[in-house]
């Protein structure tokens, strides 16, 4: 006869503990990009640096823009769009968006909170993608609103038979896109350098050096072509072409394309280094 089956072994202490483990009543859901976007939006709207930088940006763009509009006449807009006064404010205001772009990433490294962020969201590429999307949307909406406001006020102050009928909706979109991409470029540089002061200094060099160096490079014939290219593609000239201060409002396309390529390369580098380096 076959022996009777052995009795099952009593559960171990570990198995008993697991059987009595606490089960959360909160449903567990798989995280996605939307959760990271919500987290980054909470961060960017709750820190003081956002209010200071965007507040200063609006003060510069709107304040200088309206001051310039008050000192113009309808005939000044015969061949230029009504958003030209916003260009003068953006020459300084772009520095605010660059600073904010750097702080979106580098401030977490400076405080050490980036470790908490990556612990909560181990997929680092999702965190950086959320930072880029939230910052770009915020910068674009704020800058577009400021440029649009200046354009509307300028058109109401200087409309008349002497003023031209130059369309200016495109300058709102392209101008906002340009300064927002500069901010995203700063965000990528901040992610790669992980140091606020160093990244801001590097971005100021990117903006200011190409605007200053052509005056020296065009002195010598051997560097004249380089100086001309640098003069055509620096940030101030690009904004001037976009807003119609040069080329009657038809330029800026090639400058915007170059910035898109440079920003995409910097963001790609930031994603690559983010996965390779420790925090």
């Amino acid at each position: 006869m076959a022996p009777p089956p052995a009795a099952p072994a009593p559960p171990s202490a570990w198995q008993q503990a697991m059987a009595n483990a606490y089960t959360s009543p909160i449903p567990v859901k798989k995280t996605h990009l939307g959760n990271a976007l919500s987290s980054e939006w909470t961060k960017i709207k709750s820190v003081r640096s956002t209010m200071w930088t965007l507040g200063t940006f609006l003060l510069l763009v709107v304040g200088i823009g309206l001051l310039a509009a008050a000192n113009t006449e309808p005939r000044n807009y015969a061949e230029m769009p009504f958003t030209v006064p916003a260009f003068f404010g953006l020459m300084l205001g772009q520095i605010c968006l660059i600073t904010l772009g750097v702080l979106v990433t580098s401030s977490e490294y400076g405080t050490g909170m980036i470790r908490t962020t990556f612990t909560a969201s181990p997929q680092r590429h999702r965190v950086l993608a959320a930072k880029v999307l939230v910052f770009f949307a915020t910068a674009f909406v704020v800058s577009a609103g400021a440029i649009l406001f200046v354009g509307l006020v300028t058109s109401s102050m200087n409309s008349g038979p002497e003023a031209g009928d130059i369309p200016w909706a495109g300058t709102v979109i392209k101008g906002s896109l340009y300064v927002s991409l500069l901010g995203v470029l700063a965000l990528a540089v901040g992610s790669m350098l992980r140091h606020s002061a160093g990244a801001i200094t590097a971005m100021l060099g990117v903006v200011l050096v190409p605007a200053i160096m052509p005056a020296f490079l065009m002195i010598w014939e051997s560097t004249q072509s380089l100086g001309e290219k640098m003069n055509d593609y620096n940030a101030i000239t690009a904004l001037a072409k976009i807003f119609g201060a040069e080329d009657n409002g038809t330029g800026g396309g090639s400058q915007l394309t170059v910035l898109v390529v440079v920003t995409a390369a910097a963001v790609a580098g930031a994603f690559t280094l983010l996965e390779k380096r420790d925090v």
Side-chain angles (χ1 to χ4, degrees):
M1 296 180 60
S12 63
W14 178 82
Q15 290 173 325
Q16 291 179 0
M18 290 300 297
N20 298 326
Y22 170 77
T23 302
S24 174
I26 302 175
V28 178
K29 298 186 298 183
K30 186 177 181 180
T31 58
H32 49 77
L33 180 60
N35 302 120
L37 290 172
S38 177
S39 174
E40 293 304 325
W41 170 242
T42 302
K43 292 178 187 177
I44 199 171
K45 73 178 182 179
S46 59
V47 296
R48 287 177 293 179
S49 60
T50 302
M51 301 303 298
W52 279 106
T53 52
L54 291 184
T56 305
F57 173 81
L58 290 174
L59 181 63
L60 290 172
V61 176
V62 175
I64 297 177
L66 296 184
L67 181 63
N71 288 276
T72 56
E73 300 176 356
R75 59 185 177 85
N76 297 128
Y77 301 95
E79 297 182 352
M80 292 189 300
F82 287 114
T83 49
V84 167
F87 157 69
F88 300 104
L90 280 177
M91 286 194 295
L92 294 176
Q94 62 184 334
I95 299 177
C96 299
L97 293 185
I98 288 172
T99 303
L100 180 59
V102 169
L103 294 177
V104 166
T105 52
S106 63
S107 60
E108 287 195 68
Y109 285 100
T111 59
M113 287 300 296
I114 194 66
R115 300 183 182 91
T116 304
T117 298
F118 287 153
T119 300
S121 180
Q123 295 183 336
R124 299 182 182 183
H125 65 276
R126 182 184 296 173
V127 174
L128 183 56
K131 288 181 181 294
V132 171
L133 293 175
V134 169
F135 171 78
F136 178 80
T138 303
F140 185 84
V141 170
V142 171
S143 56
I147 298 170
L148 179 62
F149 179 77
V150 172
L152 291 174
V153 174
T154 304
S155 63
S156 65
M157 294 171 58
N158 294 279
S159 59
E162 295 182 0
D165 191 19
I166 306 297
W168 50 275
T171 62
V172 175
I173 297 174
K174 291 196 295 183
S176 304
L177 183 59
Y178 191 90
V179 293
S180 300
L181 285 174
L182 272 179
V184 173
L185 176 60
L187 189 153
V189 172
S191 178
M192 289 187 286
L193 297 184
R194 301 183 174 186
H195 191 274
S196 299
I200 292 174
T201 302
M203 284 304 303
L204 288 178
V206 170
V207 173
L208 298 178
V209 170
I212 298 173
M213 285 302 295
F216 301 96
L217 294 176
M218 287 191 286
I219 296 176
W220 304 284
E221 185 176 354
S222 59
T223 58
Q224 187 173 3
S225 59
L226 176 61
E228 291 174 351
K229 287 294 182 183
M230 195 175 291
N231 185 59
D232 287 339
Y233 287 91
N234 67 69
I236 295 177
T237 302
L239 287 173
K241 290 179 179 294
I242 288 173
F243 281 90
E246 294 185 14
D247 293 346
N248 296 325
T250 61
S254 58
Q255 285 79 6
L256 189 57
T257 301
V258 170
L259 181 59
V260 169
V261 173
V262 172
T263 303
V267 170
F271 273 103
T272 301
L273 291 178
L274 186 65
E275 297 294 343
K276 290 184 176 181
R277 296 189 300 190
D278 196 5
V279 295

